[in-house]
Amino acid sequence: AQSVAQPEDQVNVAEGNPLTVKCTYSVSGNPYLFWYVQYPNRGLQFLLKYITGDNLVKGSYGFEAEFNKSQTSFHLKKPSALVSDSALYFCAVSGNTPLVFGKGTRLSVIA
Amino acid sequence: DAGVIQSPRHEVTEMGQEVTLRCKPISGHDYLFWYRQTMMRGLELLIYFNNNVPIDDSGMPEDRFSAKMPNASFSTLKIQPSEPRDSAVYFCAIAGGSDTQYFGPGTRLTVL
């Protein structure tokens, strides 16, 4: 069975500082890995995905994520956080079945 | 949100009443998913369809919940009778396979 873990319920970062939101996964076979963002009163929005190829994936709004097979991780990163990045972030994994989502990490960027 | 229309956006009802949530995908897709989101339980997959056929409904919490997809452009999630613990935000999402899912804006359900 596939699963994904987001070890942090909350991440706080100062505006302008780099941010990292952690995700580890478990799946048999090659994983499809995703990050989604949810702003208040909105549905989940696709940010980026890793299917194959370069381990560093670039997505929307300046976000990127690095696939690390040996550590089974897919951490979300951004070099310089904005207050507007404050939201709920979900990591998701897919093997041969539809996506399995993590519990989400709430990111707060403080001005 | 643009690829999926959900209605109503907000629903307030009383315990025991029937509730029907609607999903209308705009773009072509093979898969349709219904999720429920609460603070306590996070995001839960309730059921998903492939080419209008229900594939896995193991996430449907009880027999009070049912879902249909009569055609590729419409799906409903029904709760009968509704209970206060059903209060949540219900999302519909579409996908072209085990790939990117696109979510609707959700329906916020409050059962009094």
Side-chain angles (χ1 to χ4, degrees), chain B residues 1-55:
Chain B
D1 297 354
V4 181
I5 296 175
Q6 290 189 246
S7 62
R9 292 295 311 275
H10 301 273
E11 176 81 22
V12 180
T13 190
E14 293 188 346
M15 182 174 62
Q17 296 298 306
E18 176 180 297
V19 175
T20 299
L21 310 181
R22 297 173 176 79
C23 176
K24 296 182 69 176
I26 295 176
S27 55
H29 61 280
D30 296 325
Y31 290 82
L32 184 140
F33 306 82
W34 280 101
Y35 291 88
R36 178 173 69 176
Q37 185 179 33
T38 61
M39 289 291 291
M40 292 296 293
R41 301 173 71 93
L43 191 67
E44 302 173 277
L45 176 63
L46 299 177
I47 184 172
Y48 74 93
F49 297 82
N50 182 15
N51 293 321
N52 311 336
V53 176
I55 302 301

